[in-house]
Amino acid sequence: MSKSENGFACEAQGGDFTATAYQNSKGDRWVTVEGTCACNTEDFELALELAAPPTVAVPEELHLNLVEHAPDGIVPTVITKTPVKGEFPIDGKVERVLIRNRNITVPIIKE
C-alpha cells in the first residue's frame, strides 16, 4: 500500500472537517468533530484521538491527531471517501480544533 509524500495514505483537507459544540443534558460542553478523507484504498478506518498537550498551553484549542488504520490483506487501489468522527469534552474557552498531525485548524461552531 503506497503512502503519499507526507507519509499518510489518506488525504485530509481543512475544508473537509467541521467542529460543532453542544451542551449535554448535564450541562457539560462537548464538541463533535467530523470529516471525510480521501484514502488510497477501500476499508480504511480513521479515528480522531486526543494529542499530547502542547508544550505551551493554548486554552482556545483542542489538539487532536487523525489516526489511520489500514485494511488487512490485499485490497484494490481506488481512491475512497472515508468518514471520521469523534466527540470530546471541552471547556468554555475552546474556540477551535487543531488536527495537529495534519496541520488543520477547524473553528468550532455552536449548535
Side-chain angles (χ1 to χ4, degrees):
M1 174 165 340
S2 67
K3 295 189 176 202
S4 67
E5 59 190 47
N6 66 9
F8 298 108
C10 299
E11 292 296 321
Q13 304 290 327
D16 296 332
F17 285 85
T18 61
T20 307
Y22 67 93
Q23 282 191 314
N24 67 12
S25 60
K26 296 179 183 177
D28 300 320
R29 189 170 184 231
W30 286 73
V31 64
T32 301
V33 183
E34 295 182 84
T36 303
C37 299
C39 297
N40 63 14
T41 68
E42 296 178 340
D43 298 331
F44 257 90
E45 291 184 21
L46 302 175
L48 292 166
E49 297 178 354
L50 290 172
T55 305
V56 177
V58 182
E60 299 85 17
E61 291 180 341
L62 172 66
H63 288 235
L64 303 176
N65 282 324
L66 177 63
V67 180
E68 301 175 351
H69 300 282
D72 292 328
I74 299 172
V75 290
T77 301
V78 57
I79 303 300
T80 305
K81 296 278 187 186
T82 306
V84 62
K85 180 178 179 179
E87 293 187 326
F88 305 91
I90 57 173
D91 65 29
K93 296 177 185 174
V94 178
E95 300 172 355
R96 60 190 168 271
V97 173
L98 173 63
I99 303 174
R100 191 187 302 165
N101 64 338
R102 301 303 180 99
N103 198 28
I104 294 173
T105 301
V106 184
I108 294 176
I109 57 174
K110 295 178 184 174
E111 189 171 79

